[in-house]
Amino acid sequence: PINKMLRRTTRFEPYGSIFELAEKAEQVLIGQKPSEELFAKAGKAVSEVMIERTGVRWSTQYKEPAVQEIVLRALCQAAGMEV
């Protein structure tokens, strides 16, 4: 389910496999009640994988929060919640 949400909203392939990124987010989400806080944690998990794969670069300071926000918005949208 999250793979489809992430694939529809944006492409993350430069940061790793979309399925690997989604797996980390799903680990945070499974069995939990949907909430903005939970979705933010999933975004954090995805950004951590991105940094793990690409390393810390000059662009990390803006990419990390951008990836977190994209995941948060995608999950909120899929859950019918407003951010």
Side-chain angles (χ1 to χ4, degrees):
I2 191 171
N3 289 334
K4 289 181 183 176
M5 288 183 264
L6 291 174
R7 191 177 302 127
R8 277 193 311 219
T9 57
T10 191
R11 296 176 55 103
F12 287 96
E13 282 85 354
Y15 310 119
S17 162
I18 187 73
F19 300 107
E20 183 179 6
L21 295 173
E23 181 182 348
K24 289 295 184 183
E26 283 180 334
Q27 289 172 359
V28 173
L29 298 171
I30 291 176
Q32 304 297 316
K33 182 178 178 183
S35 70
E36 190 172 328
E37 182 180 332
L38 178 66
F39 296 159
K41 288 180 184 177
K44 177 85 171 137
V46 171
S47 71
E48 288 171 356
V49 173
M50 180 220 27
I51 293 168
E52 198 176 282
R53 293 286 170 246
T54 63
V56 176
R57 302 178 184 181
W58 63 268
S59 59
T60 300
Q61 71 182 37
Y62 76 85
K63 286 183 179 179
E64 182 178 19
V67 168
Q68 291 174 12
E69 185 67 20
I70 290 168
V71 173
L72 170 64
R73 288 182 185 197
L75 292 173
C76 283
Q77 182 180 24
M81 299 167 52
E82 291 189 30
V83 181

